[in-house]
Amino acid sequence: MLVDINCPIEVLKYQLYRSKETGKVYCSFRFNNISENRIKGFNATIYCFDQFGEPVGWESNSFKYKLQLPESIGPNRAFGDNEKISLENFPHARNIDIVIEKVLFSDGTTWTQTESELEKVELKEINNPWLLTFVKTHEGNDAQYYYSQILNDKWTCVCGRLNVENMNTCKRCKREKDHVLSIIIMKKRLMTKLNYMKNSWKRKKRKSY
């Protein structure tokens, strides 16, 4: 997923759909307002790729998208996942990225994307059921999908948000950086203990035969 760390809107997730009746492909996004202002809408570009990550489309793999909200969205509010966006010209799209270029606030001011570098972030899912239960119990349901990571001069929270290095709290969930990064050490200890328990069980099983 492409991330502009300075954008006042972040993408929480996206989904792709194919109509059973027409066979046409659609997508939808769930956004989050991480600014301190109310948002009225934004302009963006959506990029489409196939299952191999190659661009798809007849003339271009992208198109312009504009969202005008009927009611402004307040700070720390999610929105947008009820609208299905047609990908009629991109029937082979299997992955998409969106770059938000301009945001309109309710007071009439705007945010415009600069030449800042977009970050390609691939978050690691927690696939171990035991570890997933542990993380959800201690950190909450919003932490159920991702391990915390350190990426160059930035860090990702367990909620999935990318933050700059000098931020001491997560922009999205407000968890403290030191606490989040301590989970990395905790995770390693848990995995070591879990692997030890698995190996011990295997040794006992072999001895029983």
Side-chain angles (χ1 to χ4, degrees):
M1 181 183 296
L2 285 176
V3 176
D4 184 341
I5 204 166
N6 297 312
C7 183
I9 298 174
E10 65 174 347
V11 179
L12 295 177
K13 66 177 182 179
Y14 75 83
Q15 288 184 295
L16 291 172
Y17 309 86
R18 181 180 294 277
S19 171
K20 294 182 179 179
E21 296 180 356
T22 65
K24 294 181 178 179
V25 179
Y26 300 84
C27 69
S28 68
F29 293 90
R30 185 166 178 79
F31 303 102
N32 186 37
N33 177 7
I34 55 173
S35 75
E36 297 180 353
N37 302 312
R38 300 187 68 87
I39 289 174
K40 294 214 55 171
F42 64 82
N43 295 339
T45 299
I46 295 176
Y47 297 86
C48 301
F49 305 90
D50 63 17
Q51 60 185 334
F52 302 106
E54 298 294 329
V56 296
W58 298 110
E59 297 180 357
S60 171
N61 77 313
S62 66
F63 63 97
K64 297 294 183 180
Y65 171 68
K66 178 182 292 187
L67 178 63
Q68 296 177 321
L69 296 164
E71 296 183 3
S72 61
I73 301 295
N76 300 314
R77 292 285 304 276
F79 64 97
D81 53 342
N82 292 325
E83 181 181 2
K84 289 185 178 180
I85 305 167
S86 174
L87 300 180
E88 184 175 4
N89 295 327
F90 308 91
H92 301 295
R94 297 297 179 270
N95 295 286
I96 53 178
D97 270 318
I98 183 169
V99 177
I100 297 174
E101 295 153 348
K102 192 171 186 177
V103 178
L104 174 64
F105 300 108
S106 60
D107 61 2
T109 59
T110 59
W111 172 90
T112 303
Q113 184 197 31
T114 62
E115 295 299 322
S116 60
E117 183 178 354
L118 295 170
E119 300 277 349
K120 186 71 174 178
V121 178
E122 299 295 339
L123 296 168
K124 295 181 180 179
E125 296 184 2
I126 301 176
N127 296 316
N128 185 291
W130 181 83
L131 188 57
L132 179 60
T133 299
F134 177 88
V135 172
K136 287 174 65 177
T137 300
H138 287 78
E139 295 300 321
N141 288 333
D142 67 323
Q144 65 180 316
Y145 296 111
Y146 309 113
Y147 290 138
S148 54
Q149 307 167 66
I150 300 176
L151 303 170
N152 300 324
D153 58 343
K154 301 174 181 66
W155 59 280
T156 59
C157 183
V158 290
C159 71
R161 170 68 190 179
L162 183 69
N163 299 278
V164 294
E165 185 178 24
N166 61 3
M167 288 189 67
N168 293 321
T169 58
C170 176
K171 184 75 172 179
R172 181 192 300 170
C173 69
K174 311 306 180 186
R175 286 183 176 90
E176 293 185 0
K177 176 184 176 182
D178 290 343
H179 170 71
V180 170
L181 296 183
S182 70
I183 299 174
I184 298 176
I185 299 174
M186 186 187 303
K187 179 198 74 175
K188 291 179 179 179
R189 291 175 178 173
L190 286 170
M191 292 308 298
T192 300
K193 183 176 181 180
L194 184 61
N195 290 332
Y196 175 79
M197 292 171 63
K198 286 182 178 179
N199 292 332
S200 297
W201 180 80
K202 289 179 180 179
R203 287 194 295 268
K204 289 180 181 180
K205 188 176 181 180
R206 285 197 296 267
K207 288 181 180 179
S208 64
Y209 287 105

